[in-house]
C-alpha cells in the first residue's frame, strides 16, 4: 500500500457523510462546553447577571441548531422530507403555531425579563405563581425557564419564563431597598406607669437595635432619635421598634439576638415583662356537709 492509497483512504473517510455528521455534532458539543466554562470563569470574578445568563443559553441553543441543520443538509432523505413539510401550508401553520406557543413564547418573555432587569442572578425574590409564593434566590436563567433555589429546603424550582413575566415579582435584593420587621416587647402596666422605667425600657430597645451587627443604619443623621411606638394591649403596654437589615435571613437572626439582649437588660434594670397570669382573691369558706 502506497502513501497515495493511504491518503485516498483518509480522504474518502473524512468526506463520508456519517463521519462529517459526527465531527459537526462533536464540535458543537465542545463549543457548548467551552461556553459553560467561560461563563463559570466570568461568574467567579463578577456575578453573572440575568442578561448574560440568558444570552449564554441563546448562544448554546443556536450552536446546536446550526449543527443539526448542517447535519440534516447532508441527507437527501431529510432534504426531501423538509421540502415536503414546507410545501404543506396547513401543516406549516400547525407546526409554527406549536413552536410559537411552546417554544418562542418562553424565548420572547425571556428577552423581556432580561431587558427589564426585574432581577439578577443571585437576587432574593418572591414570585407569586398561581396563588403560591416561590421564595428563594435566582440561580440561573435560560432561554426556556428560570431556576430559583428555595430558601426553605434548598430545592431548585424551575419556572417557565412566560409564567415569570406575567407574575408579580418582589425583589428583596435591590441596593436601594432593605428588609424591615417590627420588633415588639411587652411590659407591665405597673412598670410602664413609672416614667423613668418606661424611658429606660425604650432606651434599652434602641441601644440593642443599633448595636446589633446585622442591622443597618437608615437614619438621615445619627442625631435623629429612633422612634419607639408605645401602644396599649389587654394586659400589657407594648413597645415597637423597626429592625432594618439587608436580607430576611439577617433580620431573622437580628431579632432573635436583640430579644436575648433585651431580656437580659430588662432583668438587670428590674423591668417586668407582661404575661398572662391568674390571681385568686378572697377567702375560702368551709361547708359542713354532715347533717
Amino acid at each position: 500500500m502506497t502513501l497515495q492509497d493511504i491518503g485516498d483512504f483518509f480522504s474518502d473517510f473524512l468526506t463520508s457523510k456519517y463521519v462529517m455528521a459526527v465531527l459537526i455534532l462533536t464540535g458543537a458539543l465542545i463549543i457548548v462546553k467551552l461556553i459553560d466554562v467561560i461563563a463559570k470563569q466570568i461568574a467567579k470574578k463578577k456575578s453573572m447577571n440575568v442578561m448574560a445568563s440568558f444570552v449564554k443559553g441563546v448562544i448554546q441553543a443556536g450552536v446546536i441548531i446550526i449543527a443539526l441543520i448542517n447535519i440534516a443538509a447532508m441527507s437527501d432523505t431529510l432534504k426531501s422530507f423538509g421540502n415536503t413539510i414546507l410545501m404543506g401550508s396547513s401543516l406549516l401553520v400547525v407546526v409554527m403555531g406549536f413552536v410559537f406557543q411552546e417554544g418562542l413564547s418562553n424565548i420572547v418573555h425571556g428577552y423581556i425579563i432580561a431587558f427589564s432587569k426585574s432581577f439578577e442572578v443571585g437576587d432574593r425574590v418572591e414570585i407569586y405563581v398561581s396563588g403560591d409564593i416561590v421564595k428563594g434566590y435566582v440561580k440561573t436563567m435560560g432561554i426556556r425557564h428560570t431556576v430559583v433555589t428555595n430558601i426553605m429546603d434548598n430545592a431548585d424550582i424551575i419556572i417557565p419564563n412566560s409564567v415569570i413575566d406575567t407574575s408579580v415579582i418582589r425583589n428583596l435584593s435591590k441596593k436601594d431597598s432593605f428588609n424591615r420587621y417590627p420588633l415588639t416587647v411587652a411590659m407591665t402596666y405597673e412598670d410602664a406607669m413609672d416614667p423613668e422605667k418606661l424611658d429606660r425600657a425604650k432606651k434599652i430597645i434602641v441601644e440593642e437595635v443599633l448595636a446589633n451587627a446585622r442591622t443597618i443604619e437608615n437614619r438621615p443623621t445619627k442625631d435623629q432619635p429612633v422612634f419607639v411606638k408605645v401602644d396599649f394591649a389587654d394586659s400589657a403596654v407594648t413597645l415597637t421598634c423597626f429592625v432594618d437589615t439587608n436580607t430576611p435571613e439577617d433580620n431573622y437572626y437580628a431579632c432573635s439576638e436583640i430579644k436575648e439582649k433585651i431580656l437580659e437588660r430588662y432583668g438587670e434594670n428590674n423591668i417586668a415583662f407582661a404575661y398572662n397570669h391568674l390571681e385568686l382573691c378572697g377567702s375560702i369558706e368551709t361547708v359542713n356537709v354532715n347533717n
Side-chain angles (χ1 to χ4, degrees):
M1 181 178 291
T2 63
L3 292 176
Q4 181 65 34
D5 294 333
I6 296 175
D8 291 340
F9 170 78
F10 279 106
S11 177
D12 294 337
F13 179 78
L14 292 175
T15 55
S16 170
K17 292 182 180 180
Y18 298 106
V19 175
M20 288 300 296
V22 171
L23 291 176
I24 291 173
L25 186 59
T26 303
L29 294 176
I30 292 174
I31 293 174
V32 168
K33 187 62 177 178
L34 285 174
I35 294 172
D36 264 333
V37 173
I38 294 172
K40 288 179 181 178
Q41 293 300 320
I42 295 174
K44 288 180 180 179
K45 298 180 180 179
K46 185 178 181 181
S47 296
M48 185 184 298
N49 56 32
V50 169
M51 177 63 75
S53 180
F54 180 76
V55 170
K56 183 196 80 167
V58 172
I59 294 174
Q60 289 178 326
V63 170
I64 296 297
I65 291 173
I66 292 173
L68 293 177
I69 291 175
N70 279 277
I71 292 173
M74 292 186 294
S75 171
D76 295 334
T77 302
L78 290 177
K79 277 185 179 180
S80 176
F81 180 71
N83 292 332
T84 302
I85 292 178
L86 292 175
M87 289 176 64
S89 58
S90 59
L91 182 59
L92 177 61
V93 171
V94 174
V95 172
M96 292 300 291
F98 175 78
V99 170
F100 273 100
Q101 180 182 357
E102 301 296 333
L104 292 184
S105 175
N106 285 316
I107 296 176
V108 171
H109 284 288
Y111 271 113
I112 295 174
I113 295 171
F115 278 104
S116 65
K117 296 182 179 180
S118 302
F119 52 79
E120 299 290 351
V121 172
D123 279 1
R124 167 80 156 77
V125 296
E126 291 181 359
I127 303 175
Y128 296 78
V129 181
S130 301
D132 295 327
I133 305 177
V134 177
K135 299 180 180 181
Y137 291 90
V138 179
K139 183 176 182 180
T140 184
M141 178 181 175
I143 61 173
R144 195 190 75 83
H145 58 258
T146 297
V147 180
V148 177
T149 302
N150 193 309
I151 61 171
M152 299 303 295
D153 55 10
N154 209 37
D156 286 344
I157 302 174
I158 301 172
I159 310 173
N161 290 333
S162 59
V163 174
I164 291 182
D165 191 32
T166 56
S167 300
V168 176
I169 302 173
R170 188 176 176 216
N171 193 329
L172 302 175
S173 298
K174 289 294 185 182
K175 292 182 179 179
D176 56 349
S177 66
F178 53 88
N179 293 271
R180 168 168 286 182
Y181 185 83
L183 184 148
T184 300
V185 178
M187 61 184 300
T188 63
Y189 271 100
E190 290 78 8
D191 282 354
M193 292 176 68
D194 183 340
E196 184 181 349
K197 279 193 175 183
L198 178 61
D199 185 65
R200 195 184 315 154
K202 292 165 61 177
K203 187 177 179 181
I204 289 173
I205 294 176
V206 172
E207 288 176 351
E208 293 305 328
V209 169
L210 296 178
N212 190 274
R214 302 178 191 272
T215 59
I216 57 177
E217 182 63 73
N218 284 317
R219 291 180 297 172
T221 62
K222 291 187 177 181
D223 295 333
Q224 181 177 345
V226 176
F227 178 70
V228 177
K229 180 185 178 184
V230 179
D231 208 347
F232 301 140
D234 291 338
S235 57
V237 172
T238 59
L239 308 178
T240 303
C241 179
F242 284 119
V243 177
D244 299 330
T245 57
N246 289 314
T247 66
E249 289 81 4
D250 282 345
N251 210 301
Y252 181 82
Y253 287 108
C255 287
S256 177
E257 293 165 354
I258 293 169
K259 288 177 181 178
E260 286 185 18
K261 289 292 185 179
I262 292 174
L263 182 64
E264 178 183 343
R265 293 190 61 186
Y266 272 28
E268 294 173 353
N269 287 270
N270 196 29
I271 300 173
F273 286 95
Y275 58 93
N276 293 328
H277 58 279
L278 180 64
E279 182 177 349
L280 298 177
C281 300
S283 60
I284 300 176
E285 295 182 359
T286 303
V287 179
N288 188 359
V289 297
N290 295 325
N291 293 328

